[in-house]
Amino acid sequence: MSLVPDLEQYSKMTLPSEADFTAARRRRIELVQQHMDQSYVDSLVLTLGADMPWLIGYEAMPLERVTALVMPRGGRPTLVVPKLEAPRVRHFDDMFTIEPWAESEDPFRLIADLVGTGAGRVGVSERTWASWLIRLQSELPNTTYIDSSEVTGDIRSVKDDLEIMMLRLAAEAADRVADTLMAGFVTFKGRSERQISKLISEMLVDEGHSKVNFAIVGSGPNSASPHHEPGDRVIEIGDAVVCDFGGTFGIREEPGYCSDTTRTFCIGEANQEFLRLYDVLHRAQLKSTASAISGVDLSAVDAAARDEIDSEGLGEYFVHRVGHGIGLEEHELPYLAPHSVGVLKSGHAFSVEPGIYLPGRFGARIEDIVVATNDGPQSLNVSNRSLVCLDR
Ligand code: ZN
Ligand code: ZN
């Protein structure tokens, strides 16, 4: 029997077909090429990062042999890929051409030929190894290089229906993990943070994630460290425990979308001070989510949480932005921070995750993934946000 749950039964959604993914990718290529045309970018050289899987469904291996999708302003892109990795590539029929390079060949010569010496402006993935860019610059010295996310970033940040469905499936799987923790099926007391982190990781996989990206467990004073690395500390009665976990969720061979959710628990009874802190935090999280209406400033979604926490005199203990975009990557555009520039668009998918941390004592965070729609904000995570105290 498969451990992977029956997704259609859980989500009550008809899963997208291979043809749906292909159609979505065609649209994205068209949109990106239109934008290249408008912004006078002659070619994109996409290597590591999410742009390549977003456009063609193939993810480059993060190794020293370069893989690059060379995308012209018009016409079919070409995937330059090490010959030994070419058998991993799917969907190359009429959407893109594949150009495998042998060990005896110079891939940068190949990429430069595809880009052409007449290229004025070329966008390169921000994750491109510096050594690769230096090689490309020596092949095409008269070209101006820009960050390819100047072209792809805004387009990729607005999720299409298929992507929202994938994010919803990921969030539902993460919610099932949160629900299991809240139901008290896992004993926290007497176990180390690392042990709980391992259990959460196993549960993420059991619920259908193909990969675990992180499972933060911060207990007692460690709950006041937002990115705490789970360690040997043994959880005891009276602790606050922040559990922030996420992974990559895919169907079939398609590149997966990310989940990311946080719930904070108390073990035994919570003290009055923590209850008050949690109450403020819960209100701030709800207000921030409710404020996420298409057309508002990105910074206003941050301010909705920050103002609430500030008004209770706890502002100095909210030490990070309220959220980040999410998609094929855990953190991507748009970022929702005090100084973010730009407005929220329908289709933006992002976390709403205020936290309040009293150094050396305790902290709490509540995090959901939210999508801005024309009908207002929709939280993809729906598991209980009220404080749950576990008796073991
Ligand atoms: Zn998180
Ligand atoms: Zn997050």
Side-chain angles (χ1 to χ4, degrees):
M1 205 188 82
S2 164
L3 274 177
V4 178
D6 179 350
L7 299 176
E8 300 211 349
Q9 180 215 311
Y10 269 114
S11 60
K12 301 179 184 65
M13 288 189 274
T14 309
L15 297 183
S17 66
E18 188 166 318
D20 294 333
F21 279 95
T22 307
R25 287 181 190 129
R26 268 184 224 289
R27 267 196 311 273
R28 294 171 199 160
I29 289 176
E30 217 173 284
L31 280 173
V32 168
Q33 286 183 323
Q34 276 169 15
H35 198 279
M36 288 169 72
D37 205 39
Q38 288 157 6
S39 49
Y40 305 103
V41 173
D42 297 297
S43 268
L44 293 182
V45 177
L46 304 175
T47 61
L48 301 174
D51 282 346
M52 189 192 293
W54 175 67
L55 287 167
I56 64 165
Y58 179 73
E59 191 167 6
M61 295 189 83
L63 301 172
E64 70 289 353
R65 290 185 182 91
V66 67
T67 300
L69 182 70
V70 182
M71 177 118 130
R73 217 192 268 194
R76 199 182 301 178
T78 302
L79 181 68
V80 177
V81 61
K83 205 165 202 165
L84 78 164
E85 288 159 21
R88 303 172 74 236
V89 183
R90 302 171 302 129
H91 305 312
F92 59 88
D93 42 358
D94 60 340
M95 202 186 299
F96 61 96
T97 308
I98 180 164
E99 185 86 62
W101 60 271
E103 301 280 41
S104 56
E105 284 179 286
D106 179 353
F108 296 98
R109 198 50 271 149
L110 210 55
I111 294 168
D113 284 346
L114 287 163
V115 170
T117 45
R121 266 155 58 89
V122 171
V124 180
S125 303
E126 57 180 1
R127 308 277 173 84
T128 299
W129 287 16
S131 56
W132 298 347
L133 182 56
I134 290 167
R135 282 288 294 113
L136 194 58
Q137 282 173 322
S138 71
E139 292 289 342
L140 298 171
N142 300 320
T143 297
T144 302
Y145 296 88
I146 63 163
D147 178 345
S148 65
S149 56
E150 285 181 35
V151 178
T152 59
D154 280 350
I155 306 171
R156 215 182 84 205
S157 74
V158 175
K159 269 61 186 178
D160 53 38
D161 291 348
L162 181 146
E163 294 183 292
I164 291 170
M165 188 186 286
M166 293 306 300
L167 285 166
R168 190 181 292 281
L169 287 167
E172 286 179 351
D175 272 355
R176 291 195 291 275
V177 175
D179 289 344
T180 305
L181 296 175
M182 281 182 232
F185 289 134
V186 173
T187 301
F188 280 64
K189 181 177 164 269
R191 281 189 161 136
S192 70
E193 295 170 344
R194 196 178 285 126
Q195 282 174 310
I196 299 294
S197 174
K198 183 167 170 276
L199 282 170
I200 291 174
S201 300
E202 287 166 3
M203 286 155 71
L204 283 168
V205 173
D206 287 349
E207 292 299 345
H209 286 81
S210 50
K211 202 170 89 194
V212 177
N213 296 333
F214 56 89
I216 297 172
V217 176
S219 69
N222 296 337
S223 61
S225 168
H227 276 178
H228 177 67
E229 176 76 27
D232 291 331
R233 186 180 183 280
V234 174
I235 297 166
E236 50 194 59
I237 292 289
D239 280 352
V241 185
V242 172
C243 298
D244 181 351
F245 46 89
T248 302
F249 188 103
I251 58 172
R252 298 186 300 272
E253 308 299 308
E254 305 298 345
Y257 281 74
C258 293
S259 65
D260 183 6
T261 189
T262 308
R263 291 294 181 264
T264 300
F265 302 92
C266 57
I267 311 303
E269 257 179 56
N271 66 47
Q272 285 304 314
E273 210 179 346
F274 184 74
L275 286 174
R276 180 183 159 251
L277 176 151
Y278 195 89
D279 193 47
V280 173
L281 178 68
H282 191 180
R283 275 205 312 275
Q285 206 273 346
L286 292 176
K287 284 199 171 173
S288 181
T289 301
S291 77
I293 293 165
S294 326
V296 303
D297 288 340
L298 296 170
S299 59
V301 184
D302 180 277
R306 205 166 297 281
D307 291 350
E308 183 65 27
I309 295 170
D310 260 341
S311 72
E312 297 287 342
L314 294 167
E316 67 178 293
Y317 305 115
F318 175 22
V319 294
H320 53 72
R321 65 188 175 211
V322 86
H324 54 82
I326 187 167
L328 289 164
E329 294 183 288
E330 286 284 359
H331 291 193
E332 55 179 55
L333 293 171
Y335 294 101
L336 298 96
H339 299 294
S340 290
V341 176
V343 296
L344 197 65
K345 294 178 189 164
S346 177
H348 273 160
F350 49 91
S351 67
V352 176
E353 52 174 312
I356 305 175
Y357 314 96
L358 304 188
R361 299 188 59 208
F362 47 73
R365 179 163 68 254
I366 304 172
E367 175 178 23
D368 291 326
I369 302 306
V370 175
V371 177
T373 77
N374 288 328
D375 301 322
Q378 274 185 19
S379 187
L380 301 185
N381 293 104
V382 294
S383 67
N384 178 26
R385 298 172 197 98
S386 300
L387 183 63
V388 171
C389 290
L390 301 168
D391 56 9
R392 59 194 186 120

